[in-house]
Amino acid sequence: MPVKNMTKKQIQIFFERLRAQRPNPKTELNYSSPFELLVAVTLSAQATDVSVNKATDKLFPIANTPEQIYALGVEGLKSYIKTIGLYNSKAENVIKACKILIEKHQSIVPNNRTDLEALPGVGRKTANVVLNTAFGMPTMAVDTHIFRVGNRTGLAVGKNVLEVEQRLLKVIPKEFIVDSHHWLILHGRYCCVARKPKCAECVVSDVCNSPDKYEFGAVKEIQIKNIDE
């Protein structure tokens, strides 16, 4: 059964609830500078934030600038990140990125998509995370959690991550757009999970258009009246 797109009123309520639940949402990656964030997000591809934090909590006190990490070399960096999946290719990409940052950007992380995506290991999603989290730009990095939440709830139905990203940027009200990336990731990570979504404890279940939500305990009695108005 196809999921019906949320109405403007549903979307407004959806984000008002998520904002009330988490007034100050933040990434769960540990970082203290745009460069640390760039490295952490690069390492997080196909890995958990927990595993990345365990590695960077040891790495960053030793090396947390492009010069310092570049000085470690590929093998030196590997010794810190070997517990993270795909660490061989990630180490090579981070070292190459450090070299470019040093030579072309005065060791400063660029605040534009073109230069970010020119760095090895940095794709559209990573660039969106850095632009949003480090520089406060209204970008939307669509990961598996956001892709699932968008399609399951009717917030942003799309066949691929780019379609979902573009739909989200179109329908999310401006007052929510900067923080919406974090709200959606955290909601997908802890409530709207893949196999057994926690609809019984979900703060937005009554504005969700998932045809399966009642199977997972959503309460019918709290349905908002005249939701399509």
Side-chain angles (χ1 to χ4, degrees):
M1 180 178 178
V3 179
K4 181 182 177 182
N5 288 324
M6 283 188 184
T7 64
K8 288 184 178 180
K9 183 174 181 180
Q10 283 176 291
I11 292 170
Q12 180 72 25
I13 294 169
F14 185 91
F15 282 102
E16 285 177 355
R17 300 268 186 82
L18 295 185
R19 180 173 60 187
Q21 183 183 44
R22 295 185 174 94
N24 300 296
K26 297 178 181 179
T27 177
E28 294 187 316
L29 290 170
N30 295 337
Y31 77 99
S32 60
S33 70
F35 176 69
E36 287 188 0
L37 177 64
L38 175 64
V39 173
V41 178
T42 301
L43 296 177
S44 71
Q46 299 183 49
T48 66
D49 288 358
V50 172
S51 68
V52 173
N53 288 337
K54 287 181 179 178
T56 57
D57 285 350
K58 295 178 181 178
L59 170 64
F60 289 155
I62 303 300
N64 70 340
T65 66
E67 290 85 358
Q68 290 172 340
I69 289 185
Y70 186 70
L72 290 176
V74 173
E75 294 304 317
L77 180 56
K78 283 182 184 180
S79 68
Y80 287 96
I81 67 170
K82 61 186 178 182
T83 56
I84 301 174
L86 306 176
Y87 73 93
N88 286 306
S89 59
K90 289 177 180 178
E92 292 179 2
N93 284 334
V94 170
I95 293 299
K96 290 177 182 177
C98 286
K99 188 173 189 292
I100 294 173
L101 289 173
I102 294 167
E103 294 179 350
K104 295 186 177 181
H105 302 287
Q106 295 76 51
S107 298
I108 297 173
V109 175
N111 62 354
N112 67 85
R113 181 183 303 283
T114 300
D115 288 336
L116 281 172
E117 291 188 10
L119 298 173
V122 178
R124 185 177 183 86
K125 186 180 77 171
T126 296
N128 278 337
V129 172
V130 174
L131 291 172
N132 176 263
T133 304
F135 300 111
M137 296 185 183
T139 58
M140 179 61 63
V142 178
D143 66 352
T144 56
H145 297 300
I146 293 181
F147 186 79
R148 179 176 64 254
V149 171
N151 277 285
R152 176 183 278 165
T153 64
L155 174 64
V157 178
K159 296 178 181 178
N160 54 57
V161 293
L162 184 58
E163 285 187 9
V164 171
E165 175 188 333
Q166 292 172 338
R167 177 69 179 169
L168 287 170
L169 292 174
K170 180 180 179 180
V171 303
I172 296 174
K174 289 183 178 180
E175 66 176 300
F176 304 115
I177 194 66
V178 173
D179 288 327
S180 59
H181 165 252
H182 297 306
W183 283 322
L184 292 173
I185 282 181
L186 295 171
H187 187 64
R189 182 173 290 166
Y190 296 111
C191 185
C192 196
V193 295
R195 294 187 178 181
K196 293 183 179 180
K198 302 174 184 178
C199 300
E201 47 192 86
C202 176
V203 298
V204 291
S205 64
D206 54 329
V207 290
C208 169
N209 285 342
S210 170
D212 303 317
K213 62 184 180 179
Y214 298 120
E215 294 181 18
F216 295 99
V219 181
K220 295 184 179 181
E221 286 72 15
I222 62 171
Q223 288 293 291
I224 292 175
K225 304 298 182 183
N226 302 319
I227 199 65
D228 292 322
E229 291 182 359

